[in-house]
Amino acid sequence: MKNPMLEVVSLLLEKLLLLSNLKLFSWSAAPGEERQPQPQQQQQQGKGNFYDIGSFLRGDVLEVPRTHLTHYGIYLGDNQVAHLMPDILLALTDDKLLTQRVVSNKRLILGVIGKVASIRVDTVEDFAYGANILVNHLDESLQKKALGNEEVARRAEKLLGMTSYSLLWNNCEHFVTYCRYGAPISPQADKFCENVKIIIRDQRSVLASAILGLASIVCLGLAPHTTLPAIFIPFCLWMAG
C-alpha cells in the first residue's frame, strides 16, 4: 500500500520541477510556427538537410541540450528517432493524423501535467528542432557499459506507443537509459531531487517553514492539518539527512 505522505512529497517535487523548467518547452513550436535555424544550420538547409544523419548509427543515443534540461532519443536509422514525449492530445483523440504532428507547446505542457505521453518516432529534424545534437554523450557522463546498438534499437521499438509520464520517475532519460544500459535512470531528476533536499534540509528553510506554518494557524485561522505538513516534512527530511 502506498504511503500517502510519500505521494504528496512526490507530487510536490514534480510540480516544482515543472515550474522551474518551463523554458524547456520553448523548443517545441506550436503548429504554424516556423523554427529559426542557426547560421550553420541555415547553410545545411540549403542542401536539403539540417543534420548529417549519415554520421548516426542505429541504436545511438541522440542528446539535445535545452535551456534547463536535456532531451534524449534513440536513433532507429533512416532519419527516424524514437523518443518519449508528453502529449495531452493522446488522451483526447485517437486520430493519428493529429497526434503524429510535431507536439506543440500546449500539448507538451498539458501532457506533463496530465502525465500522458508516448514513445513516438519523429525525423531527426523534428526531434532536435534546430538545436545541436550530441551522440552517445551519456556513455561518457555515466561511465556505463552500453548494450549492442541493435539491441538498443530493438528495445526502443518494442516500447513504442502510449505510456505514463513522470518528470521524476518516467521521462525521456529513463527511456533511453533503459534501452542503452538495461536500467532506467535519470541523473537530471536525481540532481533536482538532491538540490531540493539541500534547500529543505537547510536550517533556515526549516525555521522559515515553521514560522510560516505557525503564522498561518494563528493569524489566518487555517486548520492545523493543512499547515503542519509544511513544518514537519522539511524538518523530517532535514533530520534524515
Side-chain angles (χ1 to χ4, degrees), residues 28-238:
S28 182
E33 295 178 358
E34 295 183 358
R35 69 191 78 180
Q36 297 297 327
Q38 299 175 359
Q40 180 181 0
Q41 292 163 344
Q42 288 175 343
Q43 294 176 3
Q44 293 175 339
Q45 186 179 19
K47 299 177 182 179
N49 291 311
F50 282 105
Y51 302 97
D52 181 14
I53 61 174
S55 63
F56 304 147
L57 299 177
R58 177 173 161 85
D60 281 348
V61 172
L62 304 187
E63 177 178 328
V64 185
R66 302 301 180 200
T67 304
H68 294 294
L69 298 179
T70 303
H71 189 52
Y72 295 91
I74 302 293
Y75 187 64
L76 301 179
D78 297 326
N79 196 29
Q80 301 291 299
V81 182
H83 58 133
L84 194 157
M85 284 285 292
D87 185 2
I88 192 62
L89 197 59
L90 298 171
L92 304 177
T93 179
D94 295 328
D95 188 345
K96 291 186 178 181
L97 293 178
L98 294 176
T99 57
Q100 287 180 348
R101 294 178 182 174
V102 175
V103 179
S104 66
N105 285 337
K106 292 180 180 179
R107 287 169 57 183
L108 180 62
I109 296 174
L110 292 175
V112 172
I113 296 173
K115 298 188 176 183
V116 181
S118 69
I119 298 172
R120 53 182 287 152
V121 175
D122 286 303
T123 65
V124 172
E125 289 79 11
D126 287 339
F127 163 76
Y129 225 85
N132 295 323
I133 296 178
L134 299 178
V135 182
N136 296 330
H137 187 255
L138 281 176
D139 292 355
E140 179 180 350
S141 60
L142 296 182
Q143 295 184 345
K144 288 183 174 292
K145 184 178 179 181
L147 301 173
N149 271 39
E150 184 58 32
E151 173 65 18
V152 173
R154 284 201 299 265
R155 281 172 171 252
E157 290 168 339
K158 287 180 181 179
L159 294 175
L160 294 178
M162 285 189 63
T163 183
S164 60
Y165 185 82
S166 169
L167 284 164
L168 295 178
W169 317 118
N170 188 38
N171 59 41
C172 63
E173 196 169 19
H174 290 105
F175 163 63
V176 299
T177 51
Y178 167 76
C179 294
R180 184 77 175 174
Y181 311 110
I185 58 175
S186 177
Q188 293 183 106
D190 294 343
K191 183 179 179 180
F192 172 79
C193 291
E194 186 61 33
N195 289 337
V196 171
K197 284 199 304 181
I198 291 172
I199 295 173
I200 292 176
R201 291 185 312 195
D202 188 276
Q203 294 183 14
R204 291 168 297 182
S205 298
V206 176
L207 179 60
S209 297
I211 293 174
L212 182 61
L214 291 174
S216 299
I217 296 173
V218 175
C219 300
L220 301 179
L222 297 180
H225 70 271
T226 63
T227 55
L228 288 179
I231 302 173
F232 288 117
I233 292 175
F235 177 76
C236 292
L237 290 176
W238 174 57

Side-chain angles (χ1 to χ4, degrees), residues 6-25:
L6 290 178
E7 290 185 352
V8 171
V9 173
S10 174
L11 179 61
L12 289 175
L13 288 175
E14 290 195 17
K15 300 311 177 188
L16 282 172
L17 182 57
L18 173 62
L19 292 174
S20 65
N21 294 285
L22 283 178
K23 290 184 179 179
L24 164 70
F25 307 124

